[in-house]
Amino acid sequence: MSGRLGGRLIALGVTGSIPAFKSIELLRLLQAEGADVVALLSPAATRFVAPLTFEALSRRAVESDLMSLLPDGRIGHIVVADTADALVVAPATAHWLASMANGLAGDTVTAAALATSAPVVVAPAMDGDMWSHPATQSNVRRLRDDFSYTIVDPVEGPLASGQSTVGRLAELPRIVDAVVAAVADRAVREPDPELRPPATDPIRDADLIGRHIVVTAGGTAEPIDPVRFIGNRSTGKMGAALATAALDRGARVTLVVGHATAALPAEADIVRVESSAEMRDAVLDLVIDCDALIMAAAVADFRPRRVATTKLTRGDGLTLELEPTEDILAGASAVVRAPGAREPRPLLVGFAAETGSLERAGEKLRRKGLDLLVANDVAEPGSGFGTDTNRVTILAADGAEEQLPLLAKRAVADIVLDRLATALDERDAASQTVRMPRQEISR
């Protein structure tokens, strides 16, 4: 496998710190470098992030119980310790640092670290006063000097305590670089068969080959005059993450983008729009010839009833009369369900940004005729516009509802696409559509 970690098995240890959610994105970055990843979670870490998420992304069982055994009766975390090319602990709490400095093994992460002869990379994250405390600094020095651990020091930034000081988890690419450096001069270890992903597992990276996915991203700008507009705080990060993830899985992606500051994938076909009306026209043109529409854009609900043809001056004063914008998803649903429309019809995925409650989400799914609806509370810290994370609930047309923990937006995108890929396969099977075998379809 290509990448700086091609052929390597990397053990990812996660402990109970606020940035534990970032370890999911770290897993993806390690995979992007060619590594296979197996996760070990401390009991406290499972309160921040769900083991199921790591299992879904790594396609390996998570080691979170000291007493758990592999199917052949061996101790799981010991097998990981014996076969991993490196162990990276991110985030590492003050408690974990103290335990390791004193040789205590109270969870799978500390036990694996004690049992392994592989390089260990540690990325601490904690409150600033905890990080600067002499006891913590003494433990860090001992791990670095006596145990030869690589310590990726935390950086300065806003912390959960409200402080803005050193204690924030280092940037993930720095941690990946540290892992690469730690194994650079070492031979690749032979993976244990019990830790290999089953050969019959679905290959996520190929499950959208041959599909055309339309994604919308960013906000819309509803003009007041030639200079001013009504908009929102959307940056387009969620839509960009969905488009990138779909491309990684083999799809052809058309990205309809309004106002967005997020980096957009160069491999996507980009359609740029300004207003909700322009986005509606673009979406309705594209939806008739795609496999799925993912409406992640934050479309304005209202626009000025009249638009001034010249710039309004401050002396004129300003009173705006607003009117509702078109419901793009409802319009797309009507188009794909119209008599004579193509069968099997495209699947429709909506996003609902709510504040305070998600009670209306189920009604929106039914009213708009959606197959999936991804709802989030944008007032919740870490789950609003412009963040790198999201906490969502995924609702399906069959009544299923799945609440996810706070995750990196790329991790949310992968889980949404897992559900969409399955739904597309079920759609095709139900319609008895004859499709070319996936392995015969090229991009």
Side-chain angles (χ1 to χ4, degrees), residues 167-207:
R168 189 178 179 88
L169 184 70
E171 295 299 318
L172 301 185
R174 278 188 59 208
I175 300 173
V176 174
D177 289 344
V179 175
V180 171
V183 301
D185 59 351
R186 290 172 170 260
V188 176
R189 281 181 161 186
E190 181 64 28
D192 190 281
E194 289 290 345
L195 297 179
R196 295 180 185 273
T200 56
D201 269 13
I203 302 175
R204 163 181 276 163
D205 291 342
D207 62 3

Side-chain angles (χ1 to χ4, degrees), residues 134-174:
T136 302
Q137 291 302 306
S138 175
N139 292 331
V140 170
R141 283 193 298 273
R142 185 171 189 194
L143 295 179
R144 179 185 282 125
D145 298 341
D146 295 349
F147 299 173
S148 298
Y149 285 7
T150 298
I151 308 295
V152 185
D153 289 335
V155 297
E156 184 173 355
L159 305 176
S161 64
Q163 294 184 0
S164 183
T165 185
V166 177
R168 189 178 179 88
L169 184 70
E171 295 299 318
L172 301 185
R174 278 188 59 208

Side-chain angles (χ1 to χ4, degrees), residues 93-128:
T93 61
H95 182 274
W96 189 88
L97 296 173
S99 296
M100 283 309 307
N102 291 278
L104 303 178
D107 56 56
T108 58
V109 187
T110 48
L114 284 173
T116 192
S117 59
V120 178
V121 176
V122 180
M126 65 198 71
D127 178 77

Side-chain angles (χ1 to χ4, degrees), residues 200-274:
T200 56
D201 269 13
I203 302 175
R204 163 181 276 163
D205 291 342
D207 62 3
L208 291 178
I209 287 179
R211 305 288 195 188
H212 178 203
I213 308 297
V214 176
V215 181
T216 67
T220 60
E222 310 304 321
I224 297 170
D225 63 17
V227 176
R228 304 174 182 89
F229 62 86
I230 296 174
N232 56 51
R233 296 185 176 89
S234 175
T235 60
K237 287 185 176 181
M238 191 69 247
L242 285 158
T244 302
L247 286 164
D248 288 347
R249 299 162 80 133
R252 177 167 68 91
V253 175
T254 300
L255 185 57
V256 182
V257 186
H259 276 220
T261 58
L264 306 177
E267 299 87 349
D269 297 323
I270 306 293
V271 177
R272 294 195 176 272
V273 299
E274 289 283 330

Side-chain angles (χ1 to χ4, degrees), residues 14 33 70 73 99 101 124 134 144 166 193 206 222 248 286 298 302 309 332 337-338 389 404 411 422:
V14 185
E33 291 288 356
L70 296 175
S99 296
R144 179 185 282 125
V166 177
E222 310 304 321
D248 288 347
L286 290 163
F302 298 94
T309 57
R337 287 181 166 84
T389 56
L404 301 181
T422 298

